[in-house]
Amino acid sequence: MIFQAAAAIKRREVAAIAADAKDVLGSVRRSLSSRLLKRVLALKKRLAELLTAVSGCRNAFEEAQEDELMALMYLTALKANTAI
């Protein structure tokens, strides 16, 4: 559930950046100006920040999967192994 929520948030951020990028690229095709180059730089920075955040989330998820103590979170398996 946490992974899905994090992915949904990042998916929305990617969609917003993609929409901005389409607009900028359309403008660049028509004419190139310093204003457009500044917008391209701003988009590049936003994408770099998003990539860093996604990489951090991915690393955290991978660490959580590898951690033996995280196995305790699998409550169904824990309950199945407990004599009730």
Side-chain angles (χ1 to χ4, degrees):
M1 178 92 79
I2 293 171
F3 302 131
Q4 291 173 337
I9 290 167
K10 295 305 171 192
R11 206 174 296 122
R12 284 193 296 270
E13 290 178 21
V14 167
I17 292 172
D20 288 346
K22 271 187 174 181
D23 181 45
V24 169
L25 288 175
S27 297
V28 167
R29 286 187 190 117
R30 289 187 294 276
S31 68
L32 189 60
S33 68
S34 62
R35 183 174 153 266
L36 285 175
L37 290 175
K38 287 179 184 178
R39 288 181 66 194
V40 169
L41 179 60
L43 280 171
K44 181 183 173 202
K45 287 180 180 180
R46 286 173 56 197
L47 284 171
E49 290 170 1
L50 183 60
L51 179 60
T52 300
V54 169
S55 294
C57 288
R58 184 188 67 228
N59 292 341
F61 295 153
E62 287 173 357
E63 285 179 29
Q65 288 177 336
E66 293 170 1
D67 190 347
E68 290 178 28
L69 294 177
M70 291 301 290
L72 294 175
M73 291 185 67
Y74 297 106
L75 299 178
T76 304
L78 183 64
K79 185 176 179 180
N81 292 328
T82 304
I84 296 179

